[in-house]
Amino acid sequence: EAGVTQFPSHSVIEKGQTVTLRCDPISGHDNLYWYRRVMGKEIKFLLHFVKESKQDESGMPNNRFLAERTGGTYSTLKVQPAELEDSGVYFCASSRAGTGGNEQFFGPGTRLTVL
Amino acid sequence: GEDVEQSLFLSVREGDSSVINCTYTDSSSTYLYWYKQEPGAGLQLLTYIFSNMDMKQDQRLTVLLNKKDKHLSLRIADTQTGDSAIYFCAEILSGAGSYQLTFGKGTKLSVIP
């Protein structure tokens, strides 16, 4: 089966601009997650969708970040307006519903650079 | 709050065993994971262990869990140059419907030929 895909792989924008990241989970996976790794720190959880609903968005840093998953398939993460501290690698992951071990399969990440 | 700690670097000779250590703080963690990240690639799930187990073996990989000390280790037998990567320890935070992973900073394993 195809893995989790993310687009773009890299994005370079200026402070104040808007960027939209896209994630396509593994087909049939109801759970979709966003994480990010900023400046060599730990990978941090952002939010968790179950189908199209936000199950847990406790990791979203502020209201400049908006995640959507219309139709319960792919998801987008919009940053508007972008700030310097938003630079980092944004990972998406997906898992099946009801998976006991909740094995989360990760995409390759989008490297975001805000200048 | 929760915290997962790992040493940042480990260097071993090809053919030797590697042991990567991790400590965590959430005593109610249900699952603990090891992920591998090769250069330019995403995170690959290597193995995981349920908290009621103390050991899990999968080919060259052995995971040991000491729940009393909140200590997790990953042993790679007969380490190869292809094992060079960053290894992340992670735990699932308990909570109704919450499956967020908490990661350590990662241990960079360098294998010397």
Side-chain angles (χ1 to χ4, degrees):
Chain A
E1 64 185 356
V4 177
T5 59
Q6 294 186 244
F7 182 83
S9 56
H10 293 84
S11 180
V12 181
I13 61 171
E14 292 188 349
K15 176 183 171 181
Q17 289 186 321
T18 298
V19 63
T20 300
L21 313 181
R22 173 174 169 140
C23 168
D24 286 78
I26 293 171
S27 178
H29 281 194
D30 286 346
N31 295 292
L32 186 148
Y33 314 82
W34 284 99
Y35 293 83
R36 73 171 179 176
R37 190 179 192 196
V38 175
M39 295 292 289
K41 295 187 178 178
E42 295 89 346
I43 300 167
K44 290 286 193 184
F45 168 83
L46 295 178
L47 89 159
H48 168 205
F49 284 100
V50 177
K51 296 184 180 178
E52 67 275 9
S53 300
K54 291 176 184 174
Q55 177 74 17
D56 180 357
E57 51 184 329
S58 61
M60 294 289 264
N62 52 61
N63 59 10
R64 294 186 295 103
F65 289 77
L66 175 64
E68 294 180 321
R69 192 182 182 196
T70 308
T73 53
Y74 71 91
S75 174
T76 58
L77 180 64
K78 180 190 286 188
V79 185
Q80 180 181 27
E83 299 290 343
L84 299 178
E85 64 265 25
D86 300 332
S87 295
V89 181
Y90 289 76
F91 292 103
C92 175
S94 71
S95 69
R96 291 189 187 91
T99 304
N102 194 43
E103 298 175 48
Q104 296 183 24
F105 297 88
F106 280 75
T110 294
R111 182 173 294 277
L112 174 64
T113 302
V114 183
L115 302 176
Chain B
E2 63 281 350
D3 204 8
V4 177
E5 300 282 345
Q6 303 178 238
S7 52
L8 295 181
F9 302 98
L10 177 65
S11 184
V12 299
R13 292 203 173 277
E14 189 175 16
D16 288 349
S17 292
S18 308
V19 179
I20 303 171
N21 294 300
C22 168
T23 57
Y24 61 97
T25 56
D26 190 337
S27 58
S28 57
S29 295
T30 51
Y31 291 93
L32 295 126
Y33 302 81
W34 285 103
Y35 279 87
K36 175 184 180 183
Q37 185 182 28
E38 297 183 39
L43 297 168
Q44 174 196 355
L45 177 63
L46 278 181
T47 186
Y48 66 93
I49 189 167
F50 188 51
S51 59
N52 68 353
M53 299 168 64
D54 50 26
M55 187 181 89
K56 181 178 180 181
Q57 187 154 3
D58 183 2
Q59 300 182 330
R60 292 190 298 121
L61 305 178
T62 303
V63 179
L64 294 178
L65 175 61
N66 181 330
K67 202 172 178 184
K68 174 176 171 289
D69 295 337
K70 299 190 188 68
H71 183 265
L72 181 74
S73 68
L74 174 69
R75 178 177 180 271
I76 305 172
D78 187 25
T79 312
Q80 303 297 307
T81 54
D83 296 323
S84 293
I86 300 175
Y87 290 80
F88 293 93
C89 170
E91 62 176 346
I92 282 279
L93 290 186
S94 58
S98 174
Y99 292 128
Q100 55 175 281
L101 288 167
T102 298
F103 286 88
K105 288 187 178 179
T107 299
K108 184 174 182 178
L109 174 64
S110 299
V111 182
I112 305 163

